Amino acid sequence: MSVKEISRNKVFGGWHIQYTHQSDTLNCDMRFAIFIPHNATQSNPVPAIYWLSGLTCTDENFMQKAGAFGKASELGIAIIASDTSPRGESVANAEDYDLGQGAGFYLNATRQPWANHYQMYDYVTEELPNIVETNFAVSNIKSIAGHSMGGHGAITIGLKNPDQYRSISAFSPICNPINVPWGQKAFSTYLGDNRDSWLEYDSVELLKKSRSVLPILVDQGDLDGFLTEQLKPETLIEAANLNQSPVQVRMQSGYDHSYYFISSFIDEHIQFHAKYLFAD
Amino acid sequence: MSVKEISRNKVFGGWHIQYTHQSDTLNCDMRFAIFIPHNATQSNPVPAIYWLSGLTCTDENFMQKAGAFGKASELGIAIIASDTSPRGESVANAEDYDLGQGAGFYLNATRQPWANHYQMYDYVTEELPNIVETNFAVSNIKSIAGHSMGGHGAITIGLKNPDQYRSISAFSPICNPINVPWGQKAFSTYLGDNRDSWLEYDSVELLKKSRSVLPILVDQGDLDGFLTEQLKPETLIEAANLNQSPVQVRMQSGYDHSYYFISSFIDEHIQFHAKYLFAD
């Protein structure tokens, strides 16, 4: 449970800090980053938003580009950015950008050689919050958010753990991975050909099965190059309507898949989560 | 004067666009980026802040990491990010990070092989604004800002061209380059050993010579690793006091040299410039 600080920057009165630690879940060394607002103290631990990034990203993309710290500082919310997969020379990898390191898809792999390390679902839902709540002035009151592959991660993880999170939000999520190329490639590789095992990692299938307890906010740019082939927000809307799940999908005119898009609406996402993080 | 668009992202209702063009001043192809707020039209051209980046940077660092577009959009100000030197295989270069490509120091080189291309002072003060004002809904009302080497560039360029700019701001500027290693290395290489030729590119020397017409805002982190050896803000304060120049230097406790620092105060810099950009 010990963490080692590797960088520290003051930002908006609080601190952005990167840590490494030995992950028992992933069986390798991992890095994550945390923003701790200035008002966080041991006697006043702050709630947190856990951020899951997209394909090829690390803990750094969101922290450097999203422009989230002004609002998080103002509201007194910590932000934790996970890496997107296990890492290291001993960790299985692939040549492709959408498989292996940088592409963990926030699931627990069952096929070798992936299963030894690719247990990102357990890492994000158990080990990482345990480390954060043990080492920092951060409470166990949390929400979850992400982008693209990380939007898929945020929605599936939130839907499956409604007691652990207060709210869910996503930018440009892969809504229905079992029916799109990115998801089919990853799931067949990490989980095998039995498609029944895929269903528990698919936001649309989870929403079809039961109503979401948690509120979900999704922003999607209509000029996103991945919109029709990989993301398919219409499948999420349809599934949410089946059981009247509290899902709001906002199509944003002219926006693409980039962090320029995320930065334009991140304050609204933080404000959305704050409503639930600070509710009694 | 023709420019070629190479990327475009909607952000905060406006557009971040990268262009390339053939630079007559620098004798090579150059790239720059512009943020155009949504309210800019041919009949309502907006004022602009020209941003100069630090060593090793391109047009991208500020645009991706500073978090400036929310405030610029709100106030209706364009931002133009220049590259930091001429570029290309035919352009003289050096092995070191603080010389050659990525390290133009915003001056006009007089020594070969640098003089053929390293005319960044003329590029920033003449060619780039001409291109911007010709091609976009941007007026000739402008201010100038920058970071580190670009803070040096912003202050020296603003001081030497008070009719062209309305205000100057800088983060962590190299205040007195003729007396620090970065500046001495660059100036002796680009300008030669006659130190008289260095004086016109030194903010402290310019301020000693005459009072600044333009208001200058400087933010400097007190945990900046370059503070005492390379930046020396105390020399700027001293020179400003000699002639009662309107220079405000704010030491910011706990901050470093990074874009985390810049992002924390960029809104205040934009607000500072807005006061003068929108003055009658």
Side-chain angles (χ1 to χ4, degrees):
Chain A
M1 282 296 215
S2 76
V3 295
K4 186 181 161 201
E5 181 178 319
I6 54 173
S7 84
R8 170 182 286 255
N9 312 90
K10 191 168 180 181
V11 59
F12 280 97
W15 294 94
H16 165 262
I17 319 177
Q18 288 180 299
Y19 292 95
T20 55
H21 69 103
Q22 163 64 32
S23 167
D24 296 335
T25 308
L26 302 175
N27 195 20
C28 64
D29 286 336
M30 288 293 284
R31 191 178 73 193
F32 69 90
I34 183 168
F35 168 72
I36 309 186
H38 57 89
N39 67 319
T41 61
Q42 288 306 328
S43 57
N44 175 41
V46 296
I49 296 170
Y50 285 74
W51 175 266
L52 307 180
S53 275
L55 289 166
T56 76
C57 290
T58 68
D59 64 294
E60 294 187 334
N61 305 67
F62 180 85
M63 295 312 216
Q64 293 181 355
K65 297 182 179 179
F69 303 136
K71 183 58 74 177
S73 174
E74 175 194 327
L75 298 175
I77 297 172
I79 300 176
I80 295 95
S82 168
D83 203 344
T84 53
S85 76
R87 299 277 181 183
E89 282 182 26
S90 64
V91 173
N93 202 357
E95 293 285 313
D96 310 359
Y97 79 97
D98 54 1
L99 205 65
Q101 294 186 32
F105 273 84
Y106 306 104
L107 51 72
N108 290 334
T110 52
R111 281 185 73 217
Q112 292 302 351
W114 311 98
N116 288 345
H117 299 281
Y118 285 74
Q119 304 292 321
M120 286 297 289
Y121 179 85
D122 284 350
Y123 177 71
V124 168
T125 57
E126 293 173 25
E127 190 176 19
L128 184 58
N130 281 342
I131 288 171
V132 167
E133 293 160 24
T134 304
N135 287 280
F136 311 111
V138 174
S139 76
N140 65 357
I141 297 172
K142 50 185 167 290
S143 292
I144 191 160
H147 174 229
S148 196
M149 175 182 75
H152 140 75
I155 300 175
T156 53
I157 285 173
L159 289 174
K160 288 155 66 85
N161 299 277
D163 296 339
Q164 195 172 335
Y165 301 95
R166 294 282 182 97
S167 48
I168 304 167
S169 83
F171 291 88
S172 333
I174 306 172
C175 295
N176 191 199
I178 66 171
N179 287 321
V180 304
W182 275 343
Q184 290 171 337
K185 182 176 178 178
F187 287 11
S188 61
T189 302
Y190 298 141
L191 302 173
D193 292 333
N194 177 5
R195 291 177 61 109
D196 286 348
S197 69
W198 298 10
L199 303 182
E200 64 174 310
Y201 296 115
D202 187 286
S203 299
V204 166
E205 292 298 325
L206 292 168
L207 280 172
K208 278 187 194 166
K209 220 164 56 180
S210 61
R211 183 175 184 279
S212 174
V213 175
L214 303 183
I216 304 176
L217 173 64
V218 173
D219 273 318
Q220 172 64 56
D222 71 355
L223 292 188
D224 185 326
F226 300 110
L227 178 59
T228 52
E229 189 186 5
Q230 305 280 11
L231 306 178
K232 296 192 180 295
E234 70 282 2
T235 64
L236 193 77
I237 295 167
E238 208 174 307
N241 288 342
L242 274 183
N243 295 305
Q244 284 81 51
S245 288
V247 179
Q248 185 183 16
V249 178
R250 309 190 302 189
M251 294 303 293
Q252 300 288 4
S253 173
Y255 287 91
D256 60 23
H257 200 68
S258 72
Y259 267 89
Y260 292 108
F261 169 48
I262 294 173
S263 70
S264 302
F265 297 98
I266 192 66
D267 280 4
E268 295 180 30
H269 282 235
I270 295 172
Q271 199 82 58
F272 165 79
H273 291 298
K275 192 163 57 175
Y276 303 100
L277 291 169
F278 292 111
D280 286 334
Chain B
M1 284 295 216
S2 76
V3 296
K4 186 179 161 204
E5 180 178 320
I6 53 173
S7 84
R8 170 181 285 258
N9 313 92
K10 191 169 181 181
V11 61
F12 280 96
W15 293 95
H16 164 263
I17 319 178
Q18 287 180 299
Y19 292 94
T20 56
H21 69 103
Q22 163 62 33
S23 167
D24 295 336
T25 309
L26 302 176
N27 195 20
C28 64
D29 287 335
M30 288 293 284
R31 191 177 73 193
F32 68 90
I34 183 168
F35 167 74
I36 308 185
H38 58 88
N39 68 318
T41 61
Q42 287 306 329
S43 57
N44 175 41
V46 295
I49 296 170
Y50 285 73
W51 176 266
L52 306 181
S53 274
L55 289 166
T56 78
C57 288
T58 68
D59 64 294
E60 294 187 334
N61 305 65
F62 179 86
M63 295 311 216
Q64 293 181 356
K65 297 182 178 178
F69 303 135
K71 183 58 73 177
S73 173
E74 176 194 326
L75 299 176
I77 297 172
I79 300 176
I80 295 94
S82 167
D83 204 344
T84 53
S85 77
R87 299 279 181 180
E89 282 182 28
S90 63
V91 173
N93 202 358
E95 293 285 313
D96 310 1
Y97 79 98
D98 54 0
L99 205 65
Q101 295 187 33
F105 273 82
Y106 306 105
L107 51 72
N108 290 335
T110 51
R111 281 186 73 217
Q112 292 301 353
W114 310 100
N116 288 346
H117 299 283
Y118 285 74
Q119 303 292 321
M120 286 299 289
Y121 179 86
D122 283 350
Y123 177 71
V124 168
T125 57
E126 294 174 24
E127 189 175 19
L128 184 58
N130 281 343
I131 288 171
V132 167
E133 291 158 24
T134 305
N135 287 279
F136 311 111
V138 174
S139 76
N140 65 356
I141 297 172
K142 50 186 169 288
S143 292
I144 192 158
H147 174 228
S148 195
M149 175 182 75
H152 141 75
I155 300 174
T156 53
I157 285 173
L159 288 174
K160 286 154 68 83
N161 299 277
D163 295 339
Q164 195 172 334
Y165 301 96
R166 296 281 183 98
S167 48
I168 303 168
S169 83
F171 292 87
S172 333
I174 305 172
C175 295
N176 191 199
I178 66 170
N179 287 321
V180 306
W182 276 341
Q184 291 171 338
K185 181 175 178 178
F187 287 12
S188 61
T189 303
Y190 298 142
L191 303 172
D193 291 333
N194 177 5
R195 289 175 63 112
D196 287 348
S197 68
W198 299 12
L199 303 182
E200 64 174 309
Y201 296 116
D202 187 286
S203 299
V204 166
E205 293 297 325
L206 292 168
L207 280 172
K208 277 187 196 166
K209 218 164 55 180
S210 60
R211 183 175 185 279
S212 174
V213 175
L214 304 183
I216 305 177
L217 173 64
V218 173
D219 273 317
Q220 173 63 58
D222 70 355
L223 292 188
D224 186 326
F226 301 110
L227 177 58
T228 53
E229 190 186 5
Q230 305 279 11
L231 306 178
K232 297 191 180 296
E234 70 282 2
T235 63
L236 192 77
I237 296 168
E238 208 175 307
N241 288 342
L242 275 182
N243 295 307
Q244 285 82 51
S245 288
V247 178
Q248 184 183 16
V249 178
R250 310 190 301 190
M251 294 303 293
Q252 301 287 3
S253 172
Y255 287 90
D256 61 23
H257 201 67
S258 72
Y259 268 90
Y260 293 108
F261 168 47
I262 295 173
S263 71
S264 302
F265 297 98
I266 191 65
D267 280 4
E268 294 179 31
H269 282 236
I270 294 172
Q271 198 82 57
F272 165 79
H273 291 297
K275 192 164 55 174
Y276 304 99
L277 291 169
F278 293 111
D280 285 335

